[in-house]
Amino acid sequence: MSAPTPEPAEPAATPVSPTAPVPSDSARASLEALRSEIAKAVVGQDPAVTGLVVALLCRGHVLLEGVPGVAKTLLVRALAASLELDTKRVQFTPDLMPSDVTGSLVYDARTAEFSFQAGPVFTHLLIADEINRTPPKTQSSLLEAMEERQVTVDGTPRPLPEPFLVAATQNPVEYEGTYPLPEAQLDRFLLKLTVPLPSRKDEIDVLTRHADGFNPRDLTAAGVRPVAGAADLEAAREAVAKTTVSPEIAGYVVDICRATRDSPSLTLGVSPRGATALLSTARAWAWLTGRDYVIPDDVKALALPTLRHRIHLRPEAEMEGVTPDSVIASVLAHVPVPR
């Protein structure tokens, strides 16, 4: 995600009650304060932080991809520590079963009845760590939860708490011991964020912090504290829903997505669901930057992370070094921008 990021606001003095009404400006300040809190644990990676905040505003899920050791899991843990929300973590492994994620019926010998034992998916923020290290059968156990915010066990649908966000991490598929995510599940992630290797300056900062005693396993000691809660999210989402989208902007989003379907480098372009997702993330970005209307730059800023996992390269294009990001960049360069 290469979008510019707003300057972080000062952290709120105290966490906001999750039940009290929150004004829109206060909600924006609380969400921007997340950046300051996460920065206490993670150096740089501002685009990924922004993407996580946008996903929270859009009720979407996030997939973070990067090589081992670039703080993907730490980034999500820092986000969780900055929120007044319930958080659970699942370490995906090759032997993980679907019931280990969703829960299962357990027989109680004392009552001679089966009772439901909820799995870790019943939380506000689910950290799905190294999601591509488990086989597709277990990966697919999250499909219903991510799309419908419920889990069906033994024919009984069980609603998940609100808000509900899956923040998954994965290593690139060319590394040993990984399984590509099913296409149906990839499409359920609102954003795919790439977490790159840090710059030399940032890497020196990381080493300096560790030399000074920073412990990534103890975020409380690092000073990370909750600065936003459910009430802030709800107020922010209501404000985002009121952000104006002109017919020209809607047409611009559609033209971008339709252009991917005509690209000679792709076997499959962006679906209408992808167009809806792009419009949603652009509205959230517009609100975060302090506007109540969407401009073309908002659409461009969120196009890469919103669309890169929704297109499929032709094998010959992939062999020539074409990437999803380069295809989307080319489309953005050629689709006329509305005035």
Side-chain angles (χ1 to χ4, degrees):
M1 181 173 175
S2 57
T5 53
E7 290 298 320
E10 290 297 321
T14 56
V16 181
S17 167
T19 56
V22 178
S24 173
D25 290 342
S26 176
R28 182 186 290 112
S30 295
L31 290 176
E32 290 179 350
L34 288 174
R35 192 182 315 278
S36 298
E37 293 303 306
I38 294 173
K40 295 177 181 178
V42 180
V43 177
Q45 307 298 359
D46 281 351
V49 174
T50 300
L52 287 167
V53 175
V54 167
L56 283 169
L57 293 174
C58 298
R59 292 183 170 86
H61 310 288
V62 176
L63 177 64
L64 296 103
E65 182 178 274
V67 298
V70 291
K72 299 185 299 296
T73 305
L74 180 61
L75 178 61
V76 181
R77 287 179 52 235
L79 171 70
S82 305
L83 294 168
E84 290 182 303
L85 301 176
D86 294 332
T87 306
K88 292 181 182 178
R89 174 178 172 180
V90 178
Q91 187 68 46
F92 281 75
T93 58
D95 60 347
L96 194 73
M97 299 296 293
S99 58
D100 295 330
V101 179
T102 61
S104 60
L105 295 177
V106 178
Y107 181 73
D108 189 341
R110 293 174 298 178
T111 61
E113 294 180 348
F114 286 92
S115 61
F116 178 68
Q117 183 173 341
V121 74
F122 287 86
T123 187
H124 292 126
L125 175 58
L126 177 66
I127 304 175
D129 199 26
E130 295 189 333
I131 191 173
N132 63 334
R133 291 201 177 276
T134 197
K137 180 179 180 180
T138 304
Q139 293 173 1
S140 299
S141 65
L142 286 173
L143 287 176
E144 181 184 15
M146 294 173 69
E147 182 66 20
E148 301 179 33
R149 265 63 175 181
Q150 68 176 27
V151 170
T152 300
V153 178
D154 196 35
T156 302
R158 305 174 189 275
L160 297 172
E162 178 62 33
F164 174 69
L165 168 70
V166 174
T169 69
Q170 74 168 16
N171 298 322
V173 294
E174 62 265 26
Y175 282 78
E176 292 184 11
T178 61
Y179 302 82
L181 292 177
E183 303 301 336
Q185 185 168 8
L186 269 177
D187 197 48
R188 281 165 171 76
F189 283 104
L190 179 71
L191 300 172
K192 181 180 178 182
L193 306 173
T194 57
V195 184
L197 291 167
S199 66
R200 183 177 184 276
K201 177 179 178 298
D202 286 343
E203 195 163 359
I204 291 174
D205 194 357
V206 170
L207 267 62
T208 302
R209 290 189 181 195
H210 279 264
D212 291 339
F214 171 71
N215 182 1
R217 289 170 289 279
D218 189 355
L219 296 180
T220 302
V224 181
R225 62 188 180 89
V227 293
D232 300 285
L233 283 178
E234 188 57 34
R237 288 170 173 177
E238 290 177 0
V240 170
K242 297 176 183 176
T243 303
T244 302
V245 178
S246 68
E248 291 79 12
I249 291 295
Y252 183 50
V253 171
V254 169
D255 290 344
I256 290 172
C257 295
R258 292 179 68 88
T260 64
R261 301 168 201 166
D262 298 330
S263 172
S265 299
L266 302 179
T267 59
L268 181 65
V270 178
S271 69
R273 188 204 302 235
T276 302
L278 180 54
L279 183 62
S280 177
T281 56
R283 293 177 82 181
W285 176 249
W287 180 81
L288 274 175
T289 53
R291 281 180 281 101
D292 60 357
Y293 57 91
V294 181
I295 61 176
D297 283 348
D298 299 325
V299 178
K300 290 182 177 181
L302 273 298
L304 281 179
T306 308
L307 304 180
R308 60 163 57 109
H309 56 298
R310 304 175 191 273
I311 60 178
H312 305 278
L313 293 171
R314 293 186 181 277
E316 55 270 28
E318 200 165 2
M319 291 179 63
E320 293 173 359
V322 177
T323 65
D325 285 13
S326 65
V327 172
I328 296 170
S330 176
V331 166
L332 292 175
H334 290 88
V335 172
V337 179
R339 293 184 178 275

